[in-house]
């Protein structure tokens, strides 16, 4: 059975504020995490239309990250592999799909909806009764869940950070029940790796990675609020394009010289 979890990540923001903060965080984080041979390469970005959710943006990326995987996975994959990310953004609803160039049995899908509440909607994504019976709900607390030491920065810790522009923070125990404004990202994640003898181990590993990324990314989106708070959607799109161009240039220069 495919392992399915619904992650709920609350933020001391409105959904409209989060739209700007998320775009800024993803662009900056991808650029900072990109090295010469590894990082996030944007392949395509175009408008798209959904019959229910209206006009949105389709983005396709290649994620080069082989050296960041555990040794037990590195041992049987080639160095020249990448993850393909395909995302349809109809904010406040998004769909993201991940596949792997080397492992055709690997498939990850994420459906996300954003609401202005503290994670109290029990079926935000409209699941069937069968899907609900198989779903595991996991609340991700950006302030009090443990972050790996290699990613920890005190200035990005919501327990200590306070925004100069908004006055929000630090986040105290029980903040999700007392903080205003507040919003929640509801993320339904299906992780599938249908290979006999490895399915459970790999799917568990995938969910651990996804949870770690969600925790780090949402902490950073809040900790960086003073940098993006006054941005318009047009401003953050320009910033996103600048970061993506610099990252693509860095990665493409490496692969050109290596080939």
């Amino acid at each position: 059975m495919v392992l399915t979890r619904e992650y709920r990540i609350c933020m001391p923001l409105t959904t409209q504020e989060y739209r700007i903060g998320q775009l800024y965080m993803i662009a900056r984080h991808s650029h900072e995490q990109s090295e010469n041979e590894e990082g996030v390469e944007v392949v395509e970005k175009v408008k798209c239309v959904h019959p229910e959710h209206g006009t949105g943006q389709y983005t396709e990326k290649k994620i080069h990250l082989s050296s960041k995987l555990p040794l037990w996975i590195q041992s049987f994959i080639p160095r020249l592999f990448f993850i393909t990310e395909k995302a349809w953004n109809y904010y406040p609803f998004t769909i993201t799909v991940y596949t792997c160039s080397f492992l055709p049995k690997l498939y990850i899908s994420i459906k996300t909806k954003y609401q202005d509440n503290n994670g109290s909607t029990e079926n935000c994504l409209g699941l069937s009764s069968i899907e609900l019976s198989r779903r595991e709900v996991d609340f991700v607390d950006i302030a009090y869940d443990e972050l790996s030491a290699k990613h920890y920065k005190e200035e990005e810790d919501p327990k200590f950070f306070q925004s100069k522009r908004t006055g929000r923070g630090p986040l105290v125990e029980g903040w999700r029940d007392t903080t205003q404004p507040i919003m929640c990202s509801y993320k339904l994640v299906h992780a599938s790796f249908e290979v006999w003898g490895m399915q459970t181990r790999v799917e568990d590993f995938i969910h651990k990675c996804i949870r770690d990324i969600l925790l780090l990314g949402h902490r950073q989106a809040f900790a960086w609020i003073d940098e993006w708070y006054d941005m318009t959607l047009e401003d953050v799109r320009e910033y996103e394009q600048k970061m993506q161009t610099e990252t693509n240039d860095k990665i493409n220069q490496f692969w050109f010289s290596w080939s």
Side-chain angles (χ1 to χ4, degrees), residues 217-258:
H218 284 77
R219 284 167 65 104
Q220 290 177 328
F222 175 50
W224 296 340
I225 187 172
D226 289 343
E227 299 174 36
W228 59 257
Y229 188 70
D230 292 330
M231 284 185 170
T232 64
L233 186 59
E234 291 72 24
D235 292 336
V236 78
R237 289 295 188 191
E238 287 182 14
Y239 175 81
E240 181 183 45
Q241 185 59 51
K242 178 177 181 292
M243 292 295 99
Q244 289 172 355
T245 299
E246 291 179 7
T247 301
N248 283 9
D249 289 346
K250 188 190 303 183
I251 294 172
N252 290 334
Q253 284 173 13
F254 171 82
W255 290 115
F256 179 78
S257 62
W258 196 82

Side-chain angles (χ1 to χ4, degrees), residues 43-49 55-60 87-89:
V43 177
E44 184 179 10
K45 184 183 291 184
V46 295
K47 287 185 178 180
C48 58
V49 178
T55 302
Q57 180 172 275
Y58 168 78
T59 306
E60 182 175 334
W88 295 261
N89 187 343

